[in-house]
């Protein structure tokens, strides 16, 4: 009589498992990195391959019992060791299907398999014991294959190497949970490819020996879309909290009065509410605990009113008028019209010109771009120039730095009368080399310059008005003169850059827009200029140099 042995694995799961074994034979560390992150640069790939190694490929299978599973795998050339409990996958399945973790029996089995380079890797088999009441879990997991992945081991598990490896993966892949497996003393961080057409094994695991609780907590937070969205939704709160600190002159008072009682008295604030604000500012990185009180961080120092490069006025603008106008973004997107005029009853510039206090605050906030002005003055070769004209130069901050850096130059600041009045104190140290000329750049610009500056002017206007401004400059500039444009450039591809949110800011507050380098090149060309050089500046700004086209 012949006995029948019921296999632990169904044929479908066995086929899935063997396909993973064949996959391992086609891979090594380099090909895993290339497959998972096709846009990873060669230098980053080489560095990452130096600190990580392809460890295994994993698959989740669903035996009804563990009895006979090792023997079945052995018949297919897979020699597994003793099973170990899987805490991480068990907990992921528990959360995903709302099944108590205690009801899930998940083990890890590993079998050695050679990779493409002939080096030892493993196939990692997660086995969920699947009684009839858990068959729905098996059906869903087979269909979506959520636990299959390729794994890299970080060696050595130095904290700096671990954080650097995670940061590199994070730049290309989305966090997808993780955990600490106490049975193996290893922290595992999962990543997934967000592309809908991702290749097989579209998840990647980073295995780090030891326990890394802070890194794991950050990774888990970033893995939760709802948490990430809440952080984004509270961005307006951060703006107002920083503006409130600026309004209370809290950063100024913190220099001499770090303790809460003294701060509350100096700012005229309720002590308990001020303590809550300080806690939020600590979370934002503006202040940090120090002794029995708080002290400013580098970020917070920029909010002092008495430091070089102070951004206090900018905080007041962004937490004040611009904050109010931004509430009209929906209507601006629907109509294509600025929301500032609808909120305040007049265009941005007309409204500020009619309010001397607000106009002064605006000009002070524009001076917060001092870092870009200093670098612009440094990189510009003005040795052959004699006169620099700053067109619509506001309070003269840029022109002041240019004249200070180049003592042989004379300057001309052209703007509306109220702006020129605000510029007099800024330009006082170079007043003997600078003329203040009232004017409107839509009508004319001075004709005596060798270099003309347009700093953060064009982004205030739509393409049609920009064409009019550039046409005026072309008409009135001498043929030998150079046009220098300072603007933030939208990236040609979507990346993290200050120009991206600033573009929405311009939509709301001036009706203007940020532009790509290619768009500025086209605008300049339509007006008769050739863009011949672009130079990066601090604060994600750029300096664009253009000359009149000789053949025009």
């Amino acid at each position: 009589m012949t006995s029948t042995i019921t296999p632990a694995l169904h044929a479908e799961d066995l086929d899935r498992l063997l396909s993973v074994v064949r996959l391992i034979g086609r891979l090594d560390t380099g090909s895993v990195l290339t497959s998972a992150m096709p846009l990873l640069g060669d230098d980053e790939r080489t560095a990452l391959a130096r600190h990580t190694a392809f460890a295994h490929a994993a698959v989740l299978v669903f035996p009804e019992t563990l009895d006979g599973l090792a023997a079945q795998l052995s018949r297919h050339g897979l020699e597994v060791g003793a099973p170990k409990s899987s805490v991480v996958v068990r907990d992921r399945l528990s959360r995903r299907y709302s099944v108590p973790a205690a009801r899930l029996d998940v083990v890890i089995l590993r079998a050695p398999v050679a990779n493409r380079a002939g080096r030892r890797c493993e196939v990692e088999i997660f086995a969920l014991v699947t009684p009839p009441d858990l068959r729905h879990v098996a059906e869903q997991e087979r269909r979506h294959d959520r636990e299959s992945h390729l794994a890299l081991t970080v060696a050595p598990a130095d904290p700096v190497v671990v954080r650097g490896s995670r940061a590199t993966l994070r730049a290309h892949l989305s966090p997808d949970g993780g955990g600490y497996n106490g049975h193996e003393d290893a922290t595992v961080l999962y990543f997934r490819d967000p592309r809908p057409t991702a290749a097989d094994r579209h998840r990647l695991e980073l295995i780090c020996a030891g326990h890394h609780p802070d890194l794991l907590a950050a990774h888990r937070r970033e893995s939760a879309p709802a948490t990430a969205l809440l952080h984004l939704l509270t961005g307006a709160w951060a703006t107002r909290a920083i503006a409130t600190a600026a309004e209370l002159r809290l950063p100024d008072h913190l220099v001499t009065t770090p303790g809460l009682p003294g701060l509350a008295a100096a700012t005229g604030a309720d002590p308990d509410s001020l303590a809550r604000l300080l806690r939020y500012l600590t979370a934002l990185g503006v202040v940090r605990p120090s002794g029995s009180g708080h002290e400013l961080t580098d970020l917070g120092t920029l909010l002092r009113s008495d430091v070089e490069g102070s951004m206090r006025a900018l905080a007041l603008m962004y937490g004040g008028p611009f904050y109010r106008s931004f509430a009209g973004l929906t209507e601006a997107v629907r109509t294509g019209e600025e929301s500032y005029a609808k909120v305040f009853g007049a265009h941005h510039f007309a409204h500020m010109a009619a309010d001397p206090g607000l106009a002064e605050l605006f000009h002070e906030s524009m001076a917060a771009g001092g870092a870009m002005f200093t670098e612009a003055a440094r990189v510009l070769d003005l040795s052959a120039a004699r006169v620099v004209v700053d067109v619509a130069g506001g309070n003269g901050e840029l022109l002041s730095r240019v004249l200070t850096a180049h003592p042989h130059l004379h300057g001309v600041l052209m703007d509306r009368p109220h702006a020129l009045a605000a510029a007099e104190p800024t330009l006082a140290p170079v007043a003997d080399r600078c003329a203040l000329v009232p004017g409107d750049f839509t009508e004319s610009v001075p004709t005596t310059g060798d270099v003309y500056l347009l700093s953060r002017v064009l982004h205030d206007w739509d393409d049609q008005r920009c064409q009019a401004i550039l046409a005026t400059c072309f008409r009135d500039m001498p043929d030998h003169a150079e046009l220098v444009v300072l603007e933030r450039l939208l990236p040609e591809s979507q990346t993290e850059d200050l120009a991206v949110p600033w573009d929405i800011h311009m939509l709301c507050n001036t009706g203007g827009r940020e532009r790509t380098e290619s768009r500025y090149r086209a605008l300049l060309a339509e007006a008769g200029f050739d863009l011949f050089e672009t130079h990066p500046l601090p604060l994600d700004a750029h300096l664009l140099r253009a000359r009149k086209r000789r053949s025009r």
Side-chain angles (χ1 to χ4, degrees):
M1 185 174 180
T2 303
S3 61
T4 302
I5 300 176
T6 303
L9 285 184
H10 292 261
E12 181 180 356
D13 283 344
L14 184 60
D15 287 344
R16 293 170 58 242
L17 171 56
L18 296 178
S19 72
V20 173
V21 173
R22 292 190 293 270
L23 176 67
I24 293 172
R26 302 194 299 269
L27 296 174
D28 58 17
T29 301
S31 59
V32 168
L33 293 173
T34 300
S35 173
M37 296 173 287
L39 299 181
L40 186 68
D42 291 340
D43 291 344
E44 286 183 307
R45 184 179 297 107
T46 299
L48 198 55
R50 190 162 57 243
H51 295 293
T52 63
F54 175 36
H56 67 251
V59 64
L60 175 61
V61 295
F62 308 94
E64 293 183 7
T65 176
L66 297 179
D67 296 337
L69 178 58
Q72 182 185 12
L73 296 175
S74 179
R75 291 194 293 273
H76 291 276
L78 300 175
E79 301 298 333
V80 297
K84 297 182 178 180
S85 296
S86 171
V87 176
V88 176
V89 172
R90 181 202 64 189
D91 290 348
R92 286 169 61 88
L93 293 173
S94 173
R95 287 191 296 271
R96 189 176 298 147
Y97 295 99
S98 300
V99 176
R103 287 186 51 206
L104 299 176
D105 184 7
V106 185
V107 299
I108 307 173
L109 297 158
R110 295 191 176 94
V113 177
N115 70 6
R116 184 172 71 178
R119 296 180 180 175
R120 177 189 167 111
C121 284
E122 292 179 326
V123 58
E124 184 173 76
I125 307 163
F126 296 106
L128 169 64
V129 177
T130 310
D133 63 330
L134 292 180
R135 284 176 184 165
H136 67 289
V137 175
E139 291 172 359
Q140 289 295 315
E141 288 300 312
R142 289 189 186 110
R143 180 178 304 155
H144 298 290
D145 213 19
R146 294 188 180 98
E147 298 304 322
S148 293
H149 62 263
L150 301 174
L152 298 170
T153 299
V154 180
D158 179 282
V160 174
V161 174
V162 169
R163 289 182 181 277
S165 299
R166 177 189 177 271
T168 302
L169 297 182
R170 178 68 181 88
H172 296 268
L173 301 170
S174 299
D176 193 33
Y180 172 69
N181 191 331
H183 298 287
E184 300 184 348
D185 188 28
T187 299
V188 296
L189 307 174
Y190 290 104
F191 300 83
R192 61 179 174 80
D193 191 332
R195 297 174 300 169
T197 57
D200 52 5
R201 309 306 108 179
H202 56 278
R203 293 179 68 242
L204 200 63
E205 177 186 21
L206 193 66
I207 306 171
C208 316
H211 194 193
H212 304 271
D214 292 343
L215 191 66
L216 180 59
H219 193 78
R220 282 173 166 167
R221 283 196 302 273
E222 293 178 13
S223 300
T227 302
L229 183 59
L230 280 175
H231 276 291
L232 294 176
L233 290 173
T234 60
W237 305 351
T239 302
R240 276 303 307 154
I242 294 171
T244 295
E247 290 169 13
L248 295 173
R249 295 190 178 271
L250 182 60
D252 289 344
H253 294 300
L254 272 169
V255 176
T256 56
T257 314
L260 181 62
L263 281 176
T267 59
D270 172 70
D272 179 66
S273 299
L274 183 60
R276 294 163 70 178
L277 175 63
L278 285 165
R279 180 171 57 200
Y280 188 26
L281 294 173
T282 300
L284 295 174
V286 174
V287 301
R288 58 176 166 250
S290 176
S292 59
H294 289 80
E295 65 181 9
L296 295 169
T297 64
D298 288 346
L299 268 68
T301 298
L302 290 173
L303 294 171
R304 288 174 53 184
S305 61
D306 58 349
V307 297
E308 177 72 18
S310 171
M311 300 180 78
R312 178 177 182 269
L314 198 64
L316 295 174
M317 284 297 302
Y318 278 73
F322 291 159
Y323 187 88
R324 290 177 59 190
S325 69
F326 221 87
L329 176 60
T330 301
E331 189 64 17
V333 171
R334 282 180 176 151
T335 65
E337 299 172 356
E338 59 170 294
S339 54
Y340 192 100
K342 294 183 179 179
V343 172
F344 293 102
H347 185 274
H348 170 285
F349 295 114
H351 178 251
M352 292 192 178
D355 183 336
L358 186 57
E360 181 179 358
L361 179 63
F362 175 71
H363 288 303
E364 288 178 5
S365 72
M366 292 300 97
M372 74 171 75
F373 297 156
T374 299
E375 179 68 3
R378 187 187 71 82
V379 302
L380 274 174
D381 180 6
L382 300 174
S383 57
R386 291 295 175 266
V387 178
V388 174
V389 179
D390 193 354
V391 179
N395 74 338
E397 187 70 30
L398 173 58
L399 185 58
S400 172
R401 295 185 188 236
V402 169
L403 295 180
T404 300
H406 302 275
H408 72 284
L409 290 175
H410 283 74
V412 176
L413 178 67
M414 192 202 84
D415 211 319
R416 300 290 181 88
H418 72 276
L420 296 181
E424 288 183 1
T426 304
L427 292 168
V430 291
D432 60 326
R433 293 188 286 124
C434 186
L436 305 183
V437 177
D440 182 346
F441 55 59
T442 63
E443 298 174 357
S444 66
V445 300
T447 60
T448 57
D450 301 304
V451 174
Y452 289 73
L453 306 176
L454 277 177
S455 175
R456 297 181 296 178
V457 171
L458 297 179
H459 77 159
D460 286 329
W461 308 101
D462 59 23
D463 285 359
Q464 184 177 0
R465 183 63 66 89
C466 283
Q467 276 300 308
I469 296 168
L470 292 173
T472 299
C473 292
F474 185 90
R475 184 195 67 205
D476 294 345
M477 286 171 53
D479 288 344
H480 72 275
E482 179 180 316
L483 180 65
V484 177
V485 175
L486 271 69
E487 294 287 359
R488 289 190 172 92
L489 297 181
L490 281 173
E492 299 287 350
S493 58
Q494 187 67 27
T495 58
E496 202 171 304
D497 191 289
L498 284 176
V500 175
W502 250 257
D503 185 45
I504 299 299
H505 166 65
M506 303 316 295
L507 169 64
C508 277
N509 289 297
T510 69
R513 65 191 310 144
E514 306 294 351
R515 297 172 174 88
T516 61
E517 180 180 347
S518 60
R519 184 57 192 144
Y520 275 119
R521 185 183 300 275
L523 285 172
L524 288 163
E526 290 173 26
F529 292 98
D530 286 328
L531 175 63
F532 67 90
E533 181 179 299
T534 302
H535 190 92
L537 299 174
L539 305 179
D540 284 355
H542 288 78
L543 183 151
L544 291 75
R545 300 177 64 190
R547 295 191 186 101
K548 285 187 175 184
R549 192 179 308 122
R550 302 302 182 191
S551 60
R552 184 179 170 102

